[in-house]
Amino acid sequence: MAEVEINAVSKAFGKAQAVSGLSLTVGDGEFVALLGPTGAGKTTALRLIAGLERPDCGSIRIDGRDVTGDAPADRDVAFVFQQYSLYPHLTVFENMAFALRAPTRRVPEADIRAKVQEVARLLHIESKLHNKATQLSGGQMQRVAIGRALVRSPSIYLMDEPLSSLDAKLRGELRLELKRIQVDLGATILYVTHDQTEAMTMASRIGVIEAGRLMQIGSPREIYENPVNAHVAARLGQPTINLLPAALFAGVPAGVETIGARTEHLTIGRGGGDVSATVKRVEHLGDQSHLHLDLGGRPVVTLADPEAGLGAGDEVSLRLNKPLFFDAKGWRVAA
Amino acid sequence: MRSGLPFETTGICRIVDDPGARSVDAMNELSASSRITYRAVMVRPGVARRIRGLSDRTLAWLFITPTIVLLLAINIFPLLWTIYLSFTNYRANRANVPTIWLGADWYQSILTDPDIWAAMQVTAHFVIWTVVIETVIGFGLAFLIDKKFRGHGMWTTIILLPMMLSPAVVGNFWTFLYQPQIGLFNYVVAFFTGRDASSFQMLGDVRLSPWAIVIVDAWMWTPYVMLICLAGLRSIPDYIYEAAEVDRASKWRQFWSITLPMALPFIMLAVLFRGIENFKMFDMVNLLTGGGPGSTTEVASITLKRAAFESWRTGYSSAFAIILFVTVFGLANIYVKALNKVKSR
């Protein structure tokens, strides 16, 4: 395991700028998640570190060594691909042993066997070791893909949305397993995802990427509580933050154009708040309810206690409780 | 009307999908406007049935009958007729002579005839060497073309040209190329080896002529093998190579453990096609050497043609044809079994 440092890296494909001026340090043993929407340049960032793409400018250092021009094989990285990328003509065992069988490595056969067995046990695929890679279910294939990376002890594990193609239940399970494995091994992981839950639950730090730029990086708590701009604020939080025009409220600081109100920033009452809104719809989720409100023609979504007994058509009052303020360009304004 | 179109499509889909189970739900859920369309769709197959009085099965048979009749007339009947003739003394040029049943006499005399075995050896030499050369060079070319260098499309077209020519054209054309005095082939060989161009005859020499036909066939059909191999190579997704790259596999190892195993079913298919085709080779060899000099290039089908249409021994040649058919059919079957095994690996 080692520290990975990316310095002002840019990459364009033709006219499309995939990554611009990305700087990022992943500390030894750290789990960093890159969070962003589709096409934000997350995968490109990962491929640049792996050496599958060459940066147009900037440098990449792994364990203090400049690897910017090195081939993937010389970088000592492991990559988990989104589309599994298993070798279809090989068995699960052969797939996982493939990297250990590199002629330059000269790992004894017994060690390979032991290592693959160990990782297979970790991922609960021991019984599938002699199956063809193509005879597995999606979840099993993904485990093999992760296992293929885990048999190695690289400087860094690069994971490209490894759980995105799994169903919700399996995703939840593997999320826990992956975090446990990372803690056990003390592995350095750079993890790309568009799923905020994955980022929030697994990462020690989250980097939010938007249009090829790193918007903000910090602990999940920091990103959630202290977003630098409206983009970052909209990335985290369920339901999504409500971005409302400042004009709707009185007593807003100067220069504030937009008010970001998460569900915890809104106190719902039966009167006596800052503004009043109409209930459009209530979605009961069991332990809580999604409340869809109409605030002067603007939709507002927040959470409500199912016990509150609200229904469509009800008038409620809203009081802002230390919301986030953004200026005309979407940047944060101190309260 | 235009707005009704998507509903109509859904209606058809529902019927094809599961006519019974969904129709009730569908009826309840569809809006008033689409319900009309839905009913119209429901009616259609019933109308067809009533008017024409034909079930789907009858209709299906009606459509394939012409093909089946044609197949029986020009494939199955001649095959059965040939099998029958192979047990008789029938001669096509003396149709009036009474036909006598000979049993397996022809088979016995063919299988013990050293000339036939010589022809089989010539065929084997031709088939094995053409397939080996075409596969090696064809795969090599496909591997290079697959590198997608600048102008690879143009090179693909140029390489494919020989394959598009008629074998008759190729036969004539190479007869000229092989001319000892004015032929380009002899000139090129002379240029590179320094020996006299008219000192050797590709088609007239008993040692060289078996190779002369191998060279022409390889020239003509290597592109075909290349095309199939190229399809195989293109079917290997890039991300497999990326995974191997990250797994620190050298280019050499990537070739042996990814490229070759994954393209193998395609290569084997090309070998099968070329093997069968060359086992039956007639036209090109007939034009180039006519089986000569002596009988050094007399492949099985030339022997067959001579027996059938020069000696007019119809019964005898029928028996030989059946032997060839069974041989190629049997070999191909064994091979296809192996191919399927490789594919399901």
Side-chain angles (χ1 to χ4, degrees):
Chain A
M1 295 296 137
E3 188 180 87
V4 174
E5 192 187 336
I6 310 156
N7 197 7
V9 165
S10 294
K11 174 75 183 174
F13 297 103
K15 283 207 174 83
Q17 190 71 38
V19 168
S20 38
L22 181 73
S23 296
L24 176 72
T25 305
V26 183
D28 194 358
E30 203 179 11
F31 192 129
V32 174
L34 285 181
L35 182 66
T38 309
K42 308 175 303 257
T43 299
T44 308
L46 220 53
R47 291 172 62 87
L48 284 164
I49 300 170
L52 294 170
E53 306 288 351
R54 291 290 154 89
D56 298 334
C57 58
S59 69
I60 296 161
R61 303 174 77 83
I62 295 177
D63 203 8
R65 190 169 60 92
D66 191 326
V67 296
T68 316
D70 288 2
D74 304 326
R75 297 193 182 201
D76 193 27
V77 295
F79 202 110
V80 179
F81 291 85
Q82 186 177 4
Q83 69 284 65
Y84 320 137
S85 291
L86 300 181
Y87 309 119
H89 57 292
L90 300 179
T91 62
V92 169
F93 181 88
E94 293 296 327
N95 261 283
M96 289 171 66
F98 193 90
L100 300 175
R101 292 241 165 92
T104 48
R105 308 285 299 165
R106 301 215 180 282
V107 184
E109 189 61 33
D111 291 6
I112 294 178
R113 207 158 279 280
K115 188 76 201 173
V116 171
Q117 286 285 354
E118 182 195 326
V119 172
R121 200 170 315 121
L122 211 60
L123 293 166
H124 308 302
I125 46 173
E126 305 134 284
S127 60
K128 302 286 175 193
L129 278 178
H130 297 289
N131 283 38
K132 275 262 149 324
T134 43
Q135 294 166 342
L136 303 175
S137 69
Q140 289 164 344
M141 282 197 208
Q142 195 59 77
R143 282 157 194 260
V144 177
I146 294 170
R148 195 169 58 173
L150 290 182
V151 294
R152 295 174 50 192
S153 313
S155 307
I156 185 167
Y157 294 101
L158 304 166
M159 302 194 176
D160 187 6
E161 311 215 19
L163 309 183
S164 66
S165 49
L166 307 180
D167 63 62
K169 182 169 173 284
L170 202 58
R171 200 174 336 153
E173 281 172 24
L174 267 181
R175 202 167 64 206
L176 284 173
E177 270 176 54
L178 208 54
K179 183 62 191 173
R180 176 176 56 79
I181 291 166
Q182 188 255 337
V183 172
D184 287 356
L185 300 177
T188 312
I189 296 181
L190 183 58
Y191 187 102
V192 155
T193 181
H194 64 260
D195 183 316
Q196 50 166 310
T197 319
E198 284 176 21
M200 289 290 273
T201 53
M202 294 194 285
S204 34
R205 280 196 301 155
I206 296 176
V208 179
I209 284 199
E210 188 86 32
R213 293 180 184 281
L214 187 66
M215 291 280 173
Q216 189 177 0
I217 183 159
S219 70
R221 198 184 168 85
E222 216 174 302
I223 301 280
Y224 183 81
E225 289 178 354
N226 227 345
V228 293
N229 60 23
H231 275 308
V232 176
R235 276 286 127 220
L236 294 181
Q238 190 61 252
T240 314
I241 192 165
N242 296 293
L243 295 170
L244 302 165
L248 286 174
F249 300 91
V252 169
V256 173
E257 277 287 317
T258 314
I259 291 175
R262 288 210 168 93
T263 181
E264 65 268 29
H265 299 138
L266 292 167
T267 314
I268 303 163
R270 289 282 189 183
D274 298 334
V275 287
S276 67
T278 321
V279 177
K280 301 290 278 183
R281 206 146 54 86
V282 182
E283 290 177 312
H284 292 288
L285 302 176
D287 57 333
Q288 55 192 16
S289 301
H290 271 173
L291 202 59
H292 295 257
L293 303 172
D294 180 84
L295 175 62
R298 297 260 167 187
V300 172
V301 185
T302 184
L303 290 178
D305 197 329
E307 311 293 303
L310 290 168
D314 288 357
E315 278 293 305
V316 293
S317 67
L318 290 178
R319 185 195 296 275
L320 289 178
N321 178 22
K322 293 187 195 157
L324 305 171
F325 296 125
F326 302 104
D327 68 11
K329 290 202 165 125
W331 294 97
R332 186 79 183 283
V333 176
Chain B
M1 272 323 281
R2 193 168 292 173
S3 66
L5 206 59
F7 283 114
E8 190 172 68
T9 342
T10 7
I12 290 168
C13 288
R14 281 207 166 95
I15 287 177
V16 172
D17 195 339
D18 194 355
R22 287 203 191 166
S23 56
V24 178
D25 298 309
M27 284 299 272
N28 292 339
E29 279 186 33
L30 286 173
S31 66
S33 67
S34 63
R35 200 173 294 163
I36 295 161
T37 340
Y38 187 82
R39 213 174 284 143
V41 173
M42 277 299 279
V43 156
R44 222 173 275 159
V47 168
R49 204 165 295 149
R50 229 176 302 132
I51 293 178
R52 311 227 186 265
L54 298 173
S55 71
D56 278 3
R57 185 165 277 272
T58 320
L59 217 60
W61 275 107
L62 216 60
F63 277 121
I64 60 169
T65 303
T67 314
I68 288 187
V69 168
L70 214 62
L71 212 66
L72 284 172
I74 66 176
N75 269 351
I76 308 299
F77 170 71
L79 179 65
L80 295 175
W81 188 240
T82 308
I83 292 174
Y84 163 70
L85 290 181
S86 71
F87 294 108
T88 68
N89 71 337
Y90 180 75
R91 293 171 80 100
N93 63 339
R94 282 183 217 156
N96 296 332
V97 175
T99 311
I100 300 167
W101 180 265
L102 294 178
D105 282 7
W106 290 133
Y107 290 90
Q108 198 186 349
S109 71
I110 288 167
L111 292 174
T112 52
D113 185 348
D115 286 350
I116 292 291
W117 286 106
M120 291 305 254
Q121 265 175 30
V122 170
T123 311
H125 176 274
F126 178 70
V127 170
I128 291 169
W129 282 106
T130 49
V131 167
V132 167
I133 293 171
E134 284 164 24
T135 308
V136 170
I137 301 180
F139 183 78
L141 284 173
F143 191 71
L144 293 178
I145 292 285
D146 191 43
K147 294 289 165 218
K148 300 200 180 85
F149 51 88
R150 186 184 287 272
H152 69 94
M154 189 193 71
W155 279 106
T156 313
T157 312
I158 291 176
I159 291 171
L160 291 185
L161 276 177
M163 194 180 99
M164 301 175 196
L165 300 174
S166 148
V169 173
V170 172
N172 271 321
F173 173 103
W174 273 87
T175 314
F176 289 117
L177 291 182
Y178 278 147
Q179 272 283 326
Q181 281 82 29
I182 55 159
L184 189 65
F185 185 87
N186 283 43
Y187 174 79
V188 169
V189 172
F191 185 85
F192 282 108
T193 60
R195 67 165 66 189
D196 187 16
S198 51
S199 69
F200 64 99
Q201 300 187 354
M202 286 305 286
L203 298 176
D205 191 306
V206 287
R207 281 178 304 112
L208 294 179
S209 58
W211 295 102
I213 57 174
V214 168
I215 290 171
V216 177
D217 191 80
W219 177 83
M220 185 170 178
W221 290 109
T222 298
Y224 178 76
V225 177
M226 183 203 80
L227 210 57
I228 297 178
C229 290
L230 192 60
L233 293 175
R234 291 268 161 89
S235 75
I236 306 174
D238 283 345
Y239 57 72
I240 298 277
Y241 289 111
E242 288 182 346
E245 200 61 37
V246 175
D247 275 346
R248 293 170 299 184
S250 60
K251 291 281 173 210
W252 183 248
R253 183 156 181 247
Q254 285 179 28
F255 178 81
W256 286 106
S257 54
I258 295 171
T259 312
L260 208 55
M262 288 186 74
L264 192 60
F266 290 82
I267 299 171
M268 287 182 73
L269 209 60
V271 167
L272 177 71
F273 289 158
R274 286 318 301 151
I276 293 178
E277 203 61 26
N278 279 357
F279 192 84
K280 306 185 299 182
M281 170 52 70
F282 174 76
D283 41 14
M284 198 194 71
V285 173
N286 194 45
L287 269 162
L288 276 171
T289 65
S295 57
T296 46
T297 60
E298 194 176 311
V299 290
S301 24
I302 292 184
T303 315
L304 183 62
K305 172 242 176 186
R306 284 186 176 160
F309 302 109
E310 286 171 20
S311 325
W312 292 102
R313 301 165 74 191
T314 311
Y316 172 87
S317 55
S318 295
F320 190 31
I322 296 300
I323 289 172
L324 289 180
F325 168 70
V326 169
T327 310
V328 76
F329 192 77
L331 288 177
N333 258 310
I334 295 169
Y335 187 87
V336 167
K337 285 236 162 65
L339 176 65
N340 285 336
K341 211 170 225 173
V342 167
K343 257 164 66 184
S344 67
R345 260 191 324 166

